[in-house]
C-alpha cells in the first residue's frame, strides 16, 4: 500500500511476545518498530555504497516522539512508512508512520531527531558532504 510523501515501506507481523496483558502491543515496541523500518530504509536507500562516509557516520537520537493513535494487536500486519523530513547542519529528522497493512489505518506517528556526532570529542559535528547529498536525494 502506498502512502503519499513516503518513498519507502516495509512490513512485518506483531508477535506474541510484543503484546501485554491487554493483548495490545507494548508502548515501547512502537519505537522498536520505527527502528526496524529505519534500518530497512537505509538498506533500501543503499547508503552503504557511500563507503566509509556512511559506515563511519555516528548518529545519536536526541529526541523521540511517538503519537499513539490506536493499538496494534497480536498478528496484525504492520506497514512501516519512512521518510527523511529535515536535514540540518549536523542533524536529521526522520518521520515514521506505523499503519495497519491491511486496512491502511494509521496507528502511530514517530518522529526521531538524530545528531551526527564525533565519538572522540562527544559533540555534534557537521554531516559529511557525501552523506548530506545522499540524504537530500532521498528526502521526501
Amino acid at each position: 500500500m502506498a502512502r503519499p510523501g513516503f518513498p519507502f515501506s516495509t512490513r512485518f507481523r506483531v508477535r506474541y511476545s510484543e503484546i501485554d496483558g491487554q493483548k495490545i502491543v507494548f508502548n515501547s515496541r512502537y519505537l522498536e518498530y520505527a527502528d526496524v523500518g529505519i534500518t530497512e530504509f537505509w538498506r533500501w536507500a543503499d547508503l552503504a555504497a557511500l563507503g566509509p562516509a556512511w559506515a563511519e557516520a555516528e548518529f545519536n537520537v536526541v529526541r523521540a516522539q511517538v503519537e499513539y493513535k490506536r493499538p496494534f494487536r497480536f498478528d496484525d500486519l504492520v506497514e512501516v512508512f519512512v521518510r527523511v523530513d529535515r536535514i540540518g547542519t549536523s542533524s536529521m529528522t526522520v518521520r515514521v508512520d506505523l499503519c495497519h497493512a491491511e486496512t491502511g489505518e494509521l496507528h502511530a506517528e514517530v518522529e526521531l531527531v538524530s545528531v551526527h556526532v564525533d565519538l572522540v570529542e562527544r559533540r555534534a559535528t557537521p554531516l559529511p558532504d557525501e552523506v548530506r547529498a545522499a540524504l537530500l536525494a532521498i528526502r521526501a
Side-chain angles (χ1 to χ4, degrees), residues 88-115:
T89 302
S90 62
S91 67
M92 69 176 153
T93 302
V94 176
R95 165 74 179 269
V96 178
D97 280 5
L98 301 172
C99 297
H100 194 288
E102 294 164 331
T103 68
E105 290 180 285
L106 178 63
H107 283 238
E109 296 172 339
V110 180
E111 184 180 85
L112 296 170
V113 178
S114 299
V115 173

Side-chain angles (χ1 to χ4, degrees), residues 4 6 9 15 30 37-38 53 56 62-64 69-70 73-74 90 98 129 134:
F6 289 85
S9 72
R15 298 173 297 182
Y30 290 76
I38 291 168
E56 296 171 9
V62 296
R63 183 172 167 271
K69 304 289 187 182
R70 60 180 13 142
R73 300 179 184 285
F74 171 68
S90 62
L98 301 172
D129 291 338

Side-chain angles (χ1 to χ4, degrees), residues 33-121:
Y33 291 173
D35 189 59
V36 168
I38 291 168
T39 297
E40 294 304 322
F41 177 71
W42 297 140
R43 186 173 286 120
W44 167 82
D46 196 25
L47 295 179
L50 296 174
W54 179 252
E56 296 171 9
E58 293 291 340
F59 291 91
N60 289 350
V61 173
V62 296
R63 183 172 167 271
Q65 179 177 317
V66 181
E67 186 172 335
Y68 300 97
K69 304 289 187 182
R70 60 180 13 142
F72 283 112
R73 300 179 184 285
F74 171 68
D75 208 35
D76 278 347
L77 185 58
V78 179
E79 187 159 12
V80 183
F81 294 89
V82 182
R83 72 178 182 221
V84 175
D85 266 355
R86 182 183 169 282
I87 301 164
T89 302
S90 62
S91 67
M92 69 176 153
T93 302
V94 176
R95 165 74 179 269
V96 178
D97 280 5
L98 301 172
C99 297
H100 194 288
E102 294 164 331
T103 68
E105 290 180 285
L106 178 63
H107 283 238
E109 296 172 339
V110 180
E111 184 180 85
L112 296 170
V113 178
S114 299
V115 173
H116 182 250
V117 296
D118 178 316
L119 292 180
V120 174
E121 299 291 326

Side-chain angles (χ1 to χ4, degrees), residues 10-21:
T10 189
R11 293 179 172 194
F12 53 84
R13 287 206 177 270
V14 173
R15 298 173 297 182
Y16 181 78
S17 64
E18 296 168 341
I19 62 172
D20 62 16

